[in-house]
Amino acid sequence: HLMLNFIGKPDFIAYDHRYADCPGFLIDRMLFRTPAFAWTVKDEHVYNRTRKKFDAAKPTCLLLSETGKLYYSLSDNTNLYEYSGGTSKVIGDVGGNIRSIVETVSAGETVLYFTTERGVFSLAPDSVRGVSTIFAVDETRTEEDLGNLIDPCGVCMKDGKLWVVDTVINAVQEIDPATGEFTPFAITTNSRAVNRLSERAQEIAVDRDVVYALDGDRVVRIGNAKGEDRTYNRILLGDGVAPVAFSAGNGYVCYATDHAVSLLQISETGEPTLGGSLVLREDLTSVADIAYSEGVFYLLRNELIGSRTRATLYRLSTDPEPTLEEIDKTTASVMGTGTH
């Protein structure tokens, strides 16, 4: 654990949090000021106990609003941020680590809906109402069944209803945000549901009347989601493929693994088009989130530049042909670090 098998200063250290007090690690941190990241943290308790020993403050969720503003969260606090006009500001402390964000814009008012480990909530950035609770996780309710949330993760809005993924119950459930009540529709491993997901289901995205659920190495496509005659397709991404972020729009699914970004075109019948998956970059690592707006996918990447880690945005256009380009690092850096 002395970590002296390098020549010169290392760019960064990925380290087991259980050995953060060993001499070699402390020498690198204090003498070389090397950025350090814990790769073994698996729950909130461990994260809160070890967070001060590692570099944090990495963007975790990103939403590009219809109004042109960016909303995002950071890994080292429970704030929700708004980025506009070159500056960032805190618009609310949501009391938990944000996992997914979606919005509605009606009559000039933006309402953000998001999930944390504590439940499902809403916040109007330009209102004084503060954070409103739609569904609060009750730690005493441990039944892994429909009508409950234990570990809410991905969320999207469809026809005024919220679709929420729960990684413990292994379900996508529909909630009416006006009442906080569950509707009868769900996709889950539960035998009462109309379709099934595995225990690896983690995120959800919507493209017009189609909903996509990321389920391990496959994507479940729900066609005609707002109608009575819904259709279901399972799209296999390949053996061993493990997406860490994905989104959907304009008939495409964009997903990132820990080393590559790929684009998959989906036909109207729910099947991948000829040509299958297009790998756009095989060296684009550390993609934290993907968002879609008006024909463009936006990729948020936590990029190591020298001894600093900062957020970088990439733009992926699909028309007339897929084109991936980097957005100015300075802008992305302001969004990532913030001017709070």
Side-chain angles (χ1 to χ4, degrees), residues 75 101 121 169 173 198 238 258 275 284 288 299 317:
S75 59
I101 316 173
F121 306 90
I169 302 176
Q173 299 184 76
S198 75
D258 59 0
L284 198 62
L299 286 72
S317 302

Side-chain angles (χ1 to χ4, degrees), residues 36-323:
F37 306 95
W39 57 270
T40 52
V41 175
K42 298 183 181 298
D43 57 60
E44 292 296 323
H45 175 69
V46 173
Y47 169 74
N48 291 327
R49 190 176 71 245
T50 61
R51 59 190 297 182
K52 293 183 179 180
K53 298 179 181 180
F54 296 89
D55 292 287
K58 298 183 291 294
T60 54
C61 285
L62 172 69
L63 173 68
L64 177 62
S65 173
E66 293 181 17
T67 63
K69 299 178 179 179
L70 286 171
Y71 297 99
Y72 66 98
S73 59
L74 298 176
S75 59
D76 70 335
N77 61 58
T78 58
N79 292 329
L80 181 58
Y81 297 86
E82 176 186 282
Y83 174 78
S84 180
T87 60
S88 295
K89 67 177 182 179
V90 177
I91 59 173
D93 186 341
V94 303
N97 297 110
I98 297 177
R99 297 170 168 182
S100 186
I101 316 173
V102 70
E103 73 168 350
T104 60
V105 179
S106 178
E109 182 183 46
T110 299
V111 179
L112 305 176
Y113 297 92
F114 52 90
T115 56
T116 75
E117 70 277 11
R118 298 174 54 246
V120 184
F121 306 90
S122 66
L123 173 65
D126 300 323
S127 172
V128 297
R129 295 193 298 268
V131 177
S132 299
T133 301
I134 296 175
F135 185 92
V137 172
D138 184 350
E139 295 183 355
T140 65
R141 290 188 59 189
T142 58
E143 64 271 20
E144 299 178 10
D145 204 348
L146 301 182
N148 188 28
L149 291 177
I150 298 176
D151 187 36
C153 190
V155 63
C156 73
M157 174 71 74
K158 188 63 183 172
D159 298 322
K161 302 294 191 299
L162 293 171
W163 288 37
V164 183
V165 175
D166 191 290
T167 60
V168 172
I169 302 176
N170 305 324
V172 179
Q173 299 184 76
E174 189 177 62
I175 299 177
D176 186 341
T179 63
E181 300 293 330
F182 291 87
T183 74
F185 177 70
I187 314 163
T188 181
T189 55
N190 188 292
S191 60
R192 290 162 40 197
V194 295
N195 201 12
R196 293 173 179 268
L197 297 178
S198 75
E199 70 277 4
R200 299 170 295 176
Q202 62 192 70
E203 200 168 349
I204 194 168
V206 61
D207 177 18
R208 292 165 292 194
D209 65 341
V210 178
V211 173
Y212 295 88
L214 180 60
D215 185 17
D217 60 356
R218 64 181 183 171
V219 172
V220 176
R221 178 187 183 274
I222 305 99
N224 193 29
K226 64 182 179 181
E228 295 295 330
D229 299 323
R230 295 184 174 99
T231 61
Y232 301 89
N233 300 84
R234 288 181 173 88
I235 303 167
L236 297 179
L237 303 180
D239 293 338
V241 175
V244 295
F246 100 123
S247 188
N250 197 31
Y252 288 88
V253 170
C254 179
Y255 63 93
T257 65
D258 59 0
H259 65 279
V261 173
S262 301
L263 189 67
L264 190 64
Q265 187 175 32
I266 310 300
S267 69
E268 293 184 359
T269 61
E271 302 294 333
T273 60
L274 292 177
S277 181
L278 173 65
V279 179
L280 298 166
R281 284 279 296 272
E282 294 184 347
D283 60 344
L284 198 62
T285 60
S286 303
V287 174
D289 203 4
I290 303 176
Y292 176 84
S293 177
E294 298 180 352
V296 178
F297 289 98
Y298 294 89
L299 286 72
L300 175 66
R301 180 189 184 198
N302 293 318
E303 185 175 17
L304 186 69
I305 303 175
S307 61
R308 294 184 58 198
T309 301
R310 60 175 154 181
T312 303
L313 281 174
Y314 291 81
R315 178 190 292 113
L316 171 57
S317 302
T318 58
D319 189 25
E321 60 183 25
T323 304

